[in-house]
């Protein structure tokens, strides 16, 4: 079946809902961990379930290069390949347009890349991106787009946004998996008229859900939030809304306040690999000497496996000794922290006190003496 969004209630523009998928029904707003190469770094599928994960993302470009979409298809699709029975979302490779390609490599037909693995030349088109995702058999596939760099001049942003719409139509025409849903992506850079146009025209194509792309690419917070405002008012209320690549707690609150339902980001595992942890009193770095004899949990209010079983001192020891378990425990904690945050936000929307909870959380998170 196609994913279906069910709105339960609003608190202002913040939405409490349910997302129905082929692999279960899940509450929104939700945070989705990123599993680029069919794995959330260092976590097992069982651990993902334990932290309350619903949808997990994988990366079309990276899985295309290795092991190849045909290998995944022969395994029975992405769920069986990685032994995860929850819903999966695959991005389109569009972010690699931003991170790996140069403007001269972007053509009307598609995008030229050099493989980051062996340097060989690659060419990715909207049709090829959809073909790969159809074979990966994720629950949700994403349209192929160009993630516009910030800042971009108006003419470039306009031409890119118009091309992204043409790519979206080509990808939709090529789409061929009746069990999979396809989301469109709104672009437009920092320009309100382009965001409006992109949203309206993408909605006209008729997708199963809609993402706002091109944020968190170096712009200031005020610009990011304005980008969301400039697009979301033109998106339908009966479809899920996804803000791509955002995982800071403050940004999650701001997105939800504007009506966003879904978030993803590599931030929790990336922070963990560098010894950093989210806490209700802000981020901390466990490599800091002051934690050498701190035998308390990472966060005394957290219910994750790491906080229930290990101390800051022990995890600091693992990090300084370069033991993999240190980053693994912090990854479990950081992902659980963001998922639990969305759980608490859902309760606040249901209770009608979202803005009060936002203020209470951020006042503590941003102002505590760590």
């Amino acid at each position: 079946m196609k994913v279906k969004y069910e709105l339960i209630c609003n608190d202002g523009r913040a939405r409490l809902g349910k997302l129905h998928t082929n692999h279960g029904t899940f509450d929104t707003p939700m945070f989705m961990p990123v599993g680029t190469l069919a794995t959330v770094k260092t976590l097992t599928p069982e651990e993902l379930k334990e932290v309350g994960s619903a949808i997990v993302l994988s990366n079309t470009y990276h899985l295309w290069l290795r092991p190849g979409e045909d290998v995944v298809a022969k395994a029975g699709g992405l769920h069986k390949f990685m032994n995860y029975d929850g819903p999966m979302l695959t991005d389109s490779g569009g972010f690699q347009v931003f991170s790996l390609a140069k403007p001269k490599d972007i053509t009307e037909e598609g995008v030229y890349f050099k493989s980051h693995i062996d340097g060989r030349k690659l060419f990715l088109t909207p049709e090829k991106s959809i073909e790969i995702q159809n074979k990966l058999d994720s629950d949700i596939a994403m349209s192929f787009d160009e993630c516009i760099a910030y800042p971009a001049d108006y003419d470039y942003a306009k031409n890119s946004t118009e091309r992204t719409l043409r790519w979206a139509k080509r990808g939709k025409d090529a789409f061929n998996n009746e069990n999979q849903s396809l989301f469109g992506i709104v672009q437009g850079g920092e320009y309100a008229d382009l965001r409006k146009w992109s949203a309206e025209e993408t909605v006209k194509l008729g997708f199963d859900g809609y993402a706002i792309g091109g944020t968190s690419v170096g712009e200031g917070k005020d610009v990011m939030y304005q980008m969301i405002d400039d697009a979301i008012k033109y998106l339908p209320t009966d479809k899920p809304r996804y803000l791509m690549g955002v995982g800071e707690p403050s940004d999650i609150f701001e997105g939800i306040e504007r009506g966003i339902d879904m978030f993803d980001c590599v931030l929790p595992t990336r922070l963990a690999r560098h010894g950093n942890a989210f806490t209700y009193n802000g981020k901390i770095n466990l490599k800091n000497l002051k934690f050498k004899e701190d035998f308390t949990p990472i966060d005394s209010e957290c219910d994750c496996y790491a906080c229930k079983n290990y101390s800051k001192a022990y995890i600091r020891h693992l990090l300084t000794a370069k033991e993999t378990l240190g980053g693994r425990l912090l990854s479990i904690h950081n992902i659980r922290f963001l998922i639990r945050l969305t759980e608490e936000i859902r309760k606040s929307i249901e209770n009608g006190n979202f803005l009060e909870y936002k203020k209470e959380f951020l006042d503590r998170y941003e102002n505590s003496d760590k």
Side-chain angles (χ1 to χ4, degrees):
M1 72 173 196
K2 302 296 185 181
V3 298
K4 292 182 174 61
Y5 176 77
E6 177 187 358
L7 178 63
I8 305 300
C9 69
N10 288 88
D11 183 3
R13 287 192 287 164
R15 293 154 39 111
L16 177 67
K18 290 186 180 293
L19 192 66
H20 302 276
T21 79
N22 286 317
H23 289 85
T25 295
F26 301 92
D27 296 326
T28 61
M30 65 163 69
F31 176 79
M32 306 179 290
V34 175
T36 300
L37 283 158
T39 176
V40 176
K41 289 187 185 301
T42 75
L43 271 68
T44 66
E46 292 76 17
E47 287 166 333
L48 287 171
K49 290 294 183 66
E50 188 176 332
V51 298
S53 174
I55 298 178
V56 170
L57 274 71
S58 279
N59 184 285
T60 294
Y61 165 81
H62 288 281
L63 292 175
W64 176 39
L65 267 57
R66 54 183 182 190
E69 69 275 18
D70 290 329
V71 173
V72 176
K74 285 177 184 177
L78 200 50
H79 299 85
K80 290 185 178 177
F81 184 60
M82 66 178 285
N83 190 35
Y84 185 72
D85 62 4
M88 300 286 303
L89 183 151
T90 44
D91 65 10
S92 66
F95 186 76
Q96 279 66 47
V97 175
F98 169 75
S99 62
L100 297 176
K102 297 175 182 177
K104 67 180 179 60
D105 300 322
I106 303 168
T107 70
E108 182 65 28
E109 186 59 27
V111 181
Y112 290 95
F113 294 89
K114 277 188 177 179
S115 166
H116 71 286
I117 299 170
D118 56 16
R120 65 192 166 99
K121 197 169 188 179
L122 304 166
F123 187 57
L124 188 59
T125 67
E127 293 83 0
K128 182 63 177 178
S129 171
I130 293 298
E131 177 192 337
I132 295 166
Q133 293 182 80
N134 284 168
K135 288 182 178 180
L136 295 175
D137 200 26
S138 54
D139 295 88
I140 299 170
M142 300 301 299
S143 293
F144 187 60
D145 66 324
E146 180 186 0
C147 179
I148 305 169
Y150 179 87
D153 68 56
Y154 184 84
D155 287 342
Y156 185 92
K158 184 174 185 291
N159 290 333
S160 171
T161 303
E162 291 171 348
R163 183 173 55 237
T164 283
L165 185 74
R166 293 191 292 271
W167 284 356
K169 186 178 187 307
R170 283 168 52 188
K172 190 170 187 291
D173 289 344
F175 188 77
N176 186 30
N177 185 333
E178 62 183 13
N179 293 317
Q180 195 174 46
S181 296
L182 181 62
F183 280 22
I185 303 177
V186 176
Q187 288 290 348
E190 65 265 41
Y191 302 103
D193 62 324
L194 297 182
R195 286 280 173 183
K196 176 179 184 290
W197 181 85
S198 179
E200 290 178 334
E201 295 302 313
T202 303
V203 169
K204 286 178 186 177
L205 293 178
F207 290 96
D208 302 305
Y210 297 91
I212 297 175
T215 66
S216 199
V217 291
E219 76 281 6
K221 300 287 190 183
D222 56 338
V223 175
M224 180 200 294
Y225 303 150
Q226 190 62 51
M227 287 176 176
I228 302 169
D229 282 330
D230 290 338
I232 200 163
K233 66 183 80 171
Y234 305 106
L235 300 181
T237 58
D238 63 343
K239 298 287 178 71
R241 300 158 168 179
Y242 165 27
L243 183 61
M244 305 179 76
V246 169
E248 279 284 356
S250 59
D251 298 337
I252 289 174
F253 273 105
E254 293 292 338
I256 290 171
E257 186 175 345
R258 288 162 169 78
I260 296 293
D261 307 302
M262 303 161 64
F263 302 83
D264 83 282
C265 196
V266 298
L267 188 62
T269 50
R270 178 176 290 165
L271 285 174
R273 292 195 298 277
H274 292 91
N276 295 288
F278 291 116
T279 80
Y280 283 91
N281 294 313
K283 287 197 284 281
I284 59 173
N285 189 321
L286 272 76
K287 292 181 179 179
N288 194 305
L289 184 61
K290 70 179 180 179
F291 298 120
K292 185 173 183 177
E293 296 183 5
D294 187 335
F295 302 108
T296 63
I298 303 166
D299 191 318
S300 60
E301 297 174 45
C302 182
D303 60 1
C304 80
Y305 171 79
C307 287
K308 288 191 289 189
N309 292 282
Y310 300 100
S311 69
K312 295 188 192 80
Y314 178 66
I315 295 172
R316 181 185 183 278
H317 157 68
L318 295 174
L319 293 168
T320 56
K322 302 190 185 311
E323 286 288 344
T324 304
L325 181 60
R328 207 165 99 67
L329 291 172
L330 286 183
S331 293
I332 290 170
H333 167 77
N334 283 343
I335 292 173
R336 175 58 190 155
F337 183 91
L338 293 183
I339 290 174
R340 188 178 180 199
L341 176 61
T342 57
E343 292 171 355
E344 292 171 349
I345 289 173
R346 293 197 296 264
K347 289 178 189 174
S348 75
I349 297 172
E350 185 175 21
N351 294 333
N353 64 345
F354 168 74
L355 289 179
E356 291 90 339
Y357 179 66
K358 174 191 172 188
K359 183 178 187 307
E360 173 191 327
F361 177 92
L362 292 178
D363 280 351
R364 182 178 172 190
Y365 182 80
E366 295 176 345
N367 301 312
S368 292
D369 180 7
K370 305 174 186 64

